[in-house]
Amino acid sequence: MSERFGSLMVEQIPRLRRYARALTGSAELADDLVQDCLERAWSRSAQWRPGSDLRAWLFTIMHNLYVSAVRARARRPAELALPEEEPASRAGESAEDLAASRDIERGIRTLAAEQREVLLLVALEGMRYEEVAAVLDLPLGTVMSRLYRARERLRRWLAEEASPALRRVK
C-alpha cells in the first residue's frame, strides 16, 4: 500500500505546486506548503481510503495548512516583505501575453482569500464545484457564490487596469 500510495502522491505534486504558488504568490512559500502537505499526508496515509479521490484529499490537507498558516501570521507582528524575482520568461510567449499574465496574477492577489481559493481550484486546477466544496468544506451554493464574486471582481479590476482614468491636460 505505501509504495502505491507514494506513487499516487507523486502524480499530484505538479497540481499541488501550481495551486500553492497561486495561493501564496511565492515559490519558496509554495514549496514549503507542498512539502508540509505531503508530509502530513504521508504521516496520515492510514486515514486515506483507497479508491477515494486522493487529489481532493491532498487539496483539503493543503487548504487546512494554508489557513492555519494565514491565521498564525495574523497573530505575529508584521514582517518586511522583500520583492520577489521576476519569473523567467516563458519561451514562445509574446510580451503582451506575459504582461496580461502578470496583470491577471496581480488581479487575483487583490481578491479576498476565500474568493481566490475557489477561483484557483476551479480555473487553475479544473475542479468541479462539488470537488471544491468537498476540499474547502463549504456548501455548494457558497462555492458558486464565491466563484461568481471572484470572477466579477477580477473582471472589474482588469477593466480598470486596461482603461485607467484619463487626465485632462489644458
Side-chain angles (χ1 to χ4, degrees):
M1 155 81 178
S2 65
E3 190 173 312
R4 175 74 177 135
F5 180 74
S7 65
L8 289 172
M9 277 190 3
V10 167
E11 291 174 12
Q12 298 302 320
I13 290 174
R15 289 183 174 128
L16 291 168
R17 289 189 77 216
R18 185 174 51 228
Y19 181 55
R21 175 69 193 261
L23 271 179
T24 63
S26 161
E28 292 83 19
L29 291 175
D31 287 343
D32 289 346
L33 182 59
V34 170
Q35 180 151 347
D36 291 346
C37 174
L38 294 173
E39 185 277 326
R40 172 103 20 120
W42 187 260
S43 69
R44 291 169 174 77
S45 62
Q47 295 177 0
W48 179 67
R49 293 184 310 266
S52 65
D53 189 357
L54 179 64
R55 179 176 75 150
W57 188 65
L58 290 171
F59 273 77
T60 301
I61 291 170
M62 180 179 283
H63 170 75
N64 291 339
L65 288 169
Y66 175 73
V67 169
S68 295
V70 167
R71 287 179 182 156
R73 274 195 305 273
R75 291 188 297 264
R76 286 193 312 241
E79 297 174 3
L80 176 63
L82 299 175
E84 287 205 31
E85 292 181 26
E86 194 66 28
S89 110
R90 294 168 277 214
E93 284 194 76
S94 69
E96 294 84 17
D97 290 342
L98 288 172
S101 293
R102 276 194 297 270
D103 288 344
I104 291 171
E105 286 177 21
R106 284 187 319 158
I108 288 173
R109 279 185 259 147
T110 68
L111 297 174
E114 56 271 356
Q115 292 174 353
R116 184 174 53 246
E117 291 167 348
V118 171
L119 178 70
L120 292 173
L121 288 173
V122 171
L124 185 65
E125 293 304 320
M127 287 186 168
R128 295 186 340 265
Y129 294 175
E130 294 83 7
E131 292 174 310
V132 174
V135 166
L136 301 178
D137 193 27
L138 295 171
L140 183 60
T142 302
V143 168
M144 293 173 17
S145 173
R146 287 181 182 178
L147 180 61
Y148 174 79
R149 288 187 189 116
R151 287 175 172 164
E152 284 304 307
R153 184 166 179 197
L154 188 57
R155 275 189 202 106
R156 284 192 311 271
W157 189 87
L158 289 170
E160 290 170 7
E161 285 293 304
S163 60
L166 299 175
R167 294 183 300 148
R168 286 191 175 193
V169 179
K170 292 186 178 184

